[in-house]
Amino acid sequence: MKIITYNVNGLRAAVNKGLPEWLAEENPDVLCLQETKLQPEQYPAEAFEALGYKAYLYSAQKKGYSGVAILTKVEPDHIEYGMGIEEYDNEGRFIRADFGDLSVVSVYHPSGTSGDERQAFKMVWLEAFQKYVTELRKSRPNLILCGDYNICHEPIDIHDPVRNATNSGFLPEEREWMTRFLSAGFIDSFRTLYPQKQEYTWWSYRFNSRAKNKGWRIDYCMVSEPVRSLLKEAVILNNAVHSDHCPMALEIG
């Protein structure tokens, strides 16, 4: 199974930048999207149905904001919308698809860059997310948690670890949370397969950052421990330019 995660920073904008044509070439079984920024009735269905994808959308109540989706060629057994926590579900941040004994999640962790209030919201979310997926793992042990985590874990994951040490996304408490998350039985698939590779998944639109490759690795395909033996490949697809993020592909078998 090939799974791709992609923060598209507005799905309709990405479609206009050639996303369907790119998707036809990559041909994943499952596509996890974040920041769809649309309501279900605004979804450009024709472009994706022509490629054989059925879409499951979980949008934010606020229009033009957040939102996650799972597009799949494989019929899921079950779709779970949200985590059952109102303040997070209102922002459309979590959707799960079950395929047999495997569960694939598209998750969009909050950003804390807009100020202290949202940073505090993010930190509380991180604890709630970990608690939720740890509980979920009891009934669905084979988890693939794809999405934009809005955190770089180690200095290798960010272009300037010294100057970014006080910026949201690379704060000590965020990095410490991710260390705890990984030590609790979750696996960073890319880093596991490529311990020394320095690649990024997001670049600021400012300062010509992408051309200079001054980026951050904040998009992950995390997997639970039982999925480790299924890992075949984890690739950052940094040639895709439909967003300020690039996608990441995971192959399991």
Side-chain angles (χ1 to χ4, degrees):
M1 181 182 264
K2 180 179 179 180
I3 302 161
I4 288 180
T5 186
Y6 201 170
N7 179 323
V8 288
N9 193 11
L11 182 55
R12 289 169 293 175
V15 166
N16 291 335
K17 294 174 184 173
L19 180 68
E21 293 81 358
W22 171 86
L23 188 60
E25 287 187 19
E26 284 294 335
N27 195 32
D29 301 289
V30 180
L31 176 64
C32 296
L33 298 176
Q34 302 88 42
E35 275 203 281
T36 54
K37 295 185 177 180
L38 48 69
Q39 296 301 303
E41 64 272 13
Q42 297 172 308
Y43 173 67
E46 285 181 17
F48 297 104
E49 287 173 359
L51 300 175
Y53 290 98
K54 185 168 181 184
Y56 300 90
L57 306 168
Y58 195 50
S59 300
Q61 287 185 0
K62 181 179 170 184
K63 291 186 176 176
Y65 176 73
S66 188
V68 290
I70 291 177
L71 277 58
T72 176
K73 290 188 170 186
V74 186
E75 187 72 30
D77 304 317
H78 173 72
I79 299 286
E80 190 73 24
Y81 297 91
M83 299 193 296
I85 305 171
E86 188 177 3
E87 61 264 44
Y88 304 135
D89 293 349
N90 288 347
E91 295 191 3
R93 293 190 174 276
F94 188 101
I95 186 171
R96 181 183 105 228
D98 297 340
F99 304 93
D101 63 358
L102 187 73
S103 292
V104 178
V105 166
S106 180
V107 61
Y108 177 40
H109 289 284
S111 168
T113 55
S114 62
D116 292 348
E117 188 179 334
R118 288 301 290 182
Q119 184 64 35
F121 181 88
K122 178 181 185 177
M123 297 310 298
V124 175
W125 152 278
L126 291 172
E127 299 302 332
F129 170 79
Q130 182 167 350
K131 183 179 178 184
Y132 181 86
V133 294
T134 299
E135 187 63 29
L136 177 62
R137 195 168 52 180
K138 294 176 184 175
S139 58
R140 304 291 305 174
N142 301 311
L143 293 176
I144 298 178
L145 306 171
C146 296
D148 177 359
Y149 281 64
N150 266 311
I151 300 171
C152 294
H153 186 213
E154 300 289 0
I156 193 175
D157 299 314
I158 192 166
H159 73 92
D160 191 344
V162 175
R163 278 192 236 171
N164 281 301
T166 56
N167 288 336
S168 178
F170 198 57
L171 295 172
E173 58 267 34
E174 295 170 327
R175 297 172 60 199
E176 190 269 333
W177 172 82
M178 189 167 277
T179 298
R180 280 191 290 113
F181 179 73
L182 293 170
S183 65
F186 294 97
I187 296 159
D188 175 351
S189 60
F190 176 81
R191 187 56 68 217
T192 296
L193 294 175
Y194 299 102
Q196 304 301 325
K197 204 179 252 192
Q198 189 159 19
E199 292 189 6
Y200 308 126
T201 64
W202 174 81
W203 302 261
S204 170
Y205 277 135
R206 301 164 66 198
F207 312 121
N208 209 18
S209 297
R210 190 158 189 170
K212 297 174 183 174
N213 199 29
K214 293 187 172 183
W216 303 44
R217 187 172 74 95
I218 57 176
D219 302 87
Y220 299 84
C221 291
M222 300 286 195
V223 303
S224 58
E225 188 59 48
V227 182
R228 183 193 289 270
S229 61
L230 303 177
L231 291 179
K232 290 173 72 176
E233 184 58 290
V235 186
I236 290 172
L237 304 170
N238 48 29
N239 290 326
V241 290
H242 317 97
S243 170
D244 51 348
H245 294 250
C246 76
M248 179 187 165
L250 180 73
E251 289 189 39
I252 58 167

